[in-house]
Amino acid sequence: DGRLPFKDIAAALDVSEGTIRNRVQSMKEAGVLKIVALADPMAIRYKADAMIGIKVSNSATPRQVAERLSEHPEIVYVVWVSGQYDLLIEVVCETEEAFRSFLETHCYGQEDIAQFEIMSSIEMFKNQFLLKRQAI
């Protein structure tokens, strides 16, 4: 919780407030920590929120397709993965019509995409963005 005072974090971890302040500052300077507000798409209840697995065509690289798709505001997550797909993206749109339009414009008929699979959210069980080990 980026709003939690350093003294509360220090008390919970049984360290000094200065230690927390220094570690947070150090992580910010190293570029491994940004304190930002995140909207929960499940709480907002967007009309269209889906993960899309993409197989990149032989005429392109995953990086090229990722860079092309990353330019669009509907895409909130892009990762190059191993396994069945080359890329996994998350698309969030305010309406089903906007989602269909996104697919028709940026996925269907694109020479750099060989195949894609749409995986719609049914229920979210966990959404956690925490480091599992100390970075600094």
Side-chain angles (χ1 to χ4, degrees), residues 37-83:
L38 293 175
D40 180 355
M42 297 307 282
I44 295 171
R45 293 194 172 97
Y46 286 109
K47 297 294 182 194
D49 175 23
M51 299 299 286
I52 300 177
I54 296 175
K55 289 184 181 183
V56 174
S57 71
N58 291 334
S59 65
T61 67
R63 183 176 307 281
Q64 290 169 326
V65 178
E67 288 173 356
R68 176 177 70 81
L69 293 174
S70 292
E71 295 176 3
H72 303 287
E74 300 91 343
I75 296 185
V76 298
Y77 179 80
V78 179
V79 64
W80 187 351
V81 295
S82 62

Side-chain angles (χ1 to χ4, degrees), residues 1-131:
D1 184 349
R3 300 168 297 166
L4 201 60
F6 289 156
K7 71 176 189 152
D8 293 353
I9 297 170
L13 298 175
D14 197 27
V15 297
S16 73
E17 184 177 341
T19 296
I20 299 301
R21 185 178 300 102
N22 290 338
R23 287 187 182 170
V24 167
Q25 186 60 34
S26 179
M27 288 189 288
K28 284 181 176 179
E29 289 171 0
V32 297
L33 176 68
K34 282 186 183 177
I35 299 174
V36 298
L38 293 175
D40 180 355
M42 297 307 282
I44 295 171
R45 293 194 172 97
Y46 286 109
K47 297 294 182 194
D49 175 23
M51 299 299 286
I52 300 177
I54 296 175
K55 289 184 181 183
V56 174
S57 71
N58 291 334
S59 65
T61 67
R63 183 176 307 281
Q64 290 169 326
V65 178
E67 288 173 356
R68 176 177 70 81
L69 293 174
S70 292
E71 295 176 3
H72 303 287
E74 300 91 343
I75 296 185
V76 298
Y77 179 80
V78 179
V79 64
W80 187 351
V81 295
S82 62
Q84 181 176 353
Y85 302 106
D86 299 307
L87 297 173
L88 187 61
I89 67 172
E90 183 175 8
V91 180
V92 178
C93 297
E94 297 208 16
T95 66
E96 290 178 10
E97 182 179 326
F99 183 63
R100 277 192 303 274
S101 176
F102 174 85
L103 292 173
E104 290 171 348
T105 305
H106 304 293
C107 296
Y108 286 108
Q110 295 296 314
E111 291 184 14
D112 56 358
I113 296 178
Q115 286 182 293
F116 64 94
E117 180 179 352
I118 302 164
M119 296 165 269
S120 298
S121 300
I122 296 171
E123 182 177 355
M124 183 176 294
F125 296 101
K126 186 173 184 177
N127 185 4
Q128 181 177 7
F129 298 98
L130 296 176
L131 293 175

